[in-house]
Amino acid sequence: MPESVDPEGFVSYLKRVTKLEIIKLPDRKLRLTSDSVERVDDDLRKFMDSMLEAMYDAPGIGLAAIQVGVPRRIVTIDVAQREDEEAKPNPLFLINPQILWRSDDFAIAEEGCLSIPEYFAEVERPASVRVAYLDRDGKPQEIEADGVLAVCLQHEIDHLDGKLFIDHLSKLKRDMVIKKFTKQARGGAKPAAL
Ligand SMILES: [Zn+2]
């Protein structure tokens, strides 16, 4: 696509600039605590749609707003195709999600993160959770989940508090991952003119 001309005009330009980019380790923004959303309006819904698009594009099953650099308590999730490839998309939009209850039993699952590409590790978390949140229309909702959805909810809500899944691993493993990604980032940031 030519960079200097924009034959489709302003609309396609807008579309292009609103495409969200997922930030990666060691970006320090990932450690921020996100603020609550105060108003659910069309701008927010538009933003959540862009989040969902970025998530599907990646592809991923969950995304927190901070992963596109926005420190607000917003999460998109769709685990439908994780369980059945033929399943229709079934997106969940969670605004200000809050874990109300965690089960006493734990489950171990392999996790990955769009902000820590191509790294996977087993994490132990409560097997089931109940979460309160505001939906796309700003209506209060509650969801109880186990399996992949429970893992995903806990993983994404962690993001809102600046926490990553590698924080659940041993310090040795975590330090190794952080070192690897810091080295990679440094390698890619060399000035082109040199
Ligand atoms: Zn993640």
Side-chain angles (χ1 to χ4, degrees):
M1 196 184 276
E3 282 301 316
S4 52
V5 234
D6 187 5
E8 284 168 83
F10 192 56
V11 173
S12 83
Y13 171 75
L14 266 183
K15 232 188 238 167
R16 213 179 306 146
V17 294
T18 52
K19 182 124 193 164
L20 299 174
E21 220 169 285
I22 296 172
I23 60 172
K24 314 230 153 77
L25 201 70
D27 195 315
R28 297 169 74 111
K29 280 194 223 89
L30 290 168
R31 293 307 191 177
L32 292 175
T33 299
S34 295
D35 290 327
S36 295
V37 170
E38 284 175 7
R39 200 178 59 237
V40 180
D41 56 15
D42 283 345
D43 282 344
L44 184 76
R45 278 185 279 272
K46 234 181 265 170
F47 172 69
M48 290 193 297
D49 288 340
S50 305
M51 274 181 64
L52 195 71
E53 199 185 315
M55 184 185 89
Y56 286 145
D57 270 4
I61 58 169
L63 188 70
I66 191 60
Q67 290 181 276
V68 293
V70 177
R72 286 287 177 279
R73 304 188 84 82
I74 307 165
V75 165
T76 57
I77 287 177
D78 191 342
V79 296
Q81 275 152 356
R82 181 60 170 260
E83 278 149 352
D84 169 14
E85 266 181 51
E86 307 286 297
K88 273 198 202 135
N90 184 23
L92 255 178
F93 300 91
L94 301 105
I95 301 160
N96 301 339
Q98 224 183 340
I99 297 180
L100 299 176
W101 169 85
R102 296 170 171 85
S103 64
D104 291 332
D105 55 319
F106 283 74
I108 295 174
E110 187 166 76
E111 291 186 34
C113 180
L114 294 176
S115 296
I116 312 174
E118 285 158 49
Y119 180 77
F120 302 91
E122 286 188 334
V123 177
E124 191 180 47
R125 299 182 186 268
S128 325
V129 286
R130 188 161 61 239
V131 174
Y133 63 98
L134 297 179
D135 67 14
R136 224 184 129 76
D137 300 313
K139 265 198 218 133
Q141 303 282 359
E142 269 185 40
I143 187 172
E144 196 168 318
D146 57 12
V148 185
L149 184 55
V151 172
C152 197
L153 283 163
Q154 293 175 80
H155 177 120
E156 301 311 330
I157 293 171
D158 269 358
H159 271 302
L160 306 182
D161 295 317
K163 214 167 163 189
L164 301 169
F165 85 95
I166 53 171
D167 298 345
H168 295 275
L169 308 177
S170 69
K171 187 176 170 352
L172 186 73
K173 271 193 194 165
R174 180 170 61 250
D175 287 349
M176 261 168 53
V177 180
I178 293 172
K179 208 167 143 191
K180 185 181 154 215
F181 278 82
T182 307
K183 222 165 141 190
Q184 263 176 20
R186 237 184 257 141
K190 271 185 200 140
L194 296 175

